[in-house]
């Protein structure tokens, strides 16, 4: 059974009963996942753009978009329009496949993994997960890595409430850290 089917069949009724939601359209859901890699070295090394794009394509399953600096910052030797990172936005079936891979394969591969933090929610109920290494993904060939880079994965959830968002991610399979 796919994660999308599990959401429709089991998670929606559970959330409706736990939080006394009467309308099925008011049940929160993950609307998109964005994966970001920031690399300020892109300004000086144009070949780095292709390397990061290839890695993010392997991780996300789709071609990423180049992000550019919106303003110039003299202290960082950054001009407006300079490339500063890559981002990929996942929706639909690709999003659910990525969540399954992240929860069941990737996060358990992290060394000394005790669960992800429960404090990374913003006020709107979105969750941001920061990973320090891109090599924990099985698609990345360790021999072709020039430098270990971190990435940021943001789950955009249309709940407006951190408690409901946390319960939704928990039911989807997010391995949260146990409270002591």
């Amino acid at each position: 059974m796919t994660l999308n089917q599990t959401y429709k069949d089991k998670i929606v009724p559970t959330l409706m009963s736990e939080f006394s939601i009467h309308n099925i359209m008011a049940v929160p859901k993950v609307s998109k996942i964005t994966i970001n890699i920031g690399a300020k070295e892109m300004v000086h090394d144009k070949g780095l753009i292709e390397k990061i794009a290839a890695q993010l394509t392997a991780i996300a399953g789709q071609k990423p978009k180049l992000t550019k600096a919106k303003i110039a910052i003299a202290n960082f030797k950054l001009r407006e329009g300079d490339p500063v990172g890559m981002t990929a936005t996942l929706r639909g079936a690709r999003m659910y496949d990525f969540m399954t891979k992240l929860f069941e394969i990737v996060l358990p591969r992290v060394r000394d993994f005790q669960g992800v933090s429960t404090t990374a929610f913003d006020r709107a109920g979105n969750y941001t997960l920061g990973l320090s290494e891109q090599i924990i993904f099985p698609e990345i060939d360790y021999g072709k890595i020039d430098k270990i880079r971190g990435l940021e994965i943001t789950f955009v959830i249309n709940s407006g409430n951190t408690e409901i968002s946390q319960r939704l991610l928990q039911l989807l399979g997010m391995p949260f850290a146990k409270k002591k």
Side-chain angles (χ1 to χ4, degrees), residues 148-176:
I148 293 181
R149 290 185 180 79
L151 58 121
E152 183 179 85
I153 302 168
T154 303
F155 297 84
V156 179
I157 303 168
N158 64 348
S159 70
N161 184 338
T162 59
E163 182 185 353
I164 298 173
S165 295
Q166 183 175 352
R167 183 66 179 142
L168 170 64
L169 287 177
Q170 185 180 19
L171 290 171
L172 285 170
M174 175 79 84
F176 285 109

Side-chain angles (χ1 to χ4, degrees), residues 2 34-35 47 73 82 100 121 144-145 154-155 168 171 179:
T2 64
T34 58
I35 307 166
I73 303 172
D82 283 348
T100 302
F121 287 95
K144 295 181 181 176
I145 298 297
T154 303
F155 297 84
L168 170 64
L171 290 171
K179 293 181 181 177

Side-chain angles (χ1 to χ4, degrees), residues 8 20-21 37-38 41 76 83 108 113 116 140 180:
K8 290 176 183 173
S20 63
I21 300 170
I37 295 180
E41 312 92 55
F76 297 124
F113 183 68
V116 296
I140 302 295
K180 295 177 184 177

Side-chain angles (χ1 to χ4, degrees), residues 5 12 15-16 70 96 98-100 111 113 158-159 165:
Q5 198 62 39
V12 169
L15 288 173
M16 287 180 77
K70 294 179 181 167
Y96 283 107
F98 179 78
M99 271 196 284
T100 302
R111 219 175 341 193
F113 183 68
N158 64 348
S159 70
S165 295

Side-chain angles (χ1 to χ4, degrees), residues 22-78:
H22 303 294
N23 187 352
I24 197 165
M25 298 303 286
V27 176
K29 65 180 177 187
V30 180
S31 58
K32 67 181 177 179
I33 296 175
T34 58
I35 307 166
N36 302 310
I37 295 180
K40 61 183 181 227
E41 312 92 55
M42 284 185 179
V43 176
H44 307 294
D45 185 8
K46 299 299 179 191
L48 189 61
I49 294 173
E50 287 83 26
K51 290 178 186 175
I52 293 177
Q55 292 173 12
L56 197 53
T57 301
I59 291 170
Q62 70 184 34
K63 188 176 180 200
K65 178 184 153 203
L66 183 68
T67 54
K68 297 183 178 185
K70 294 179 181 167
I71 58 171
I73 303 172
N75 288 343
F76 297 124
K77 297 178 184 166
L78 186 68

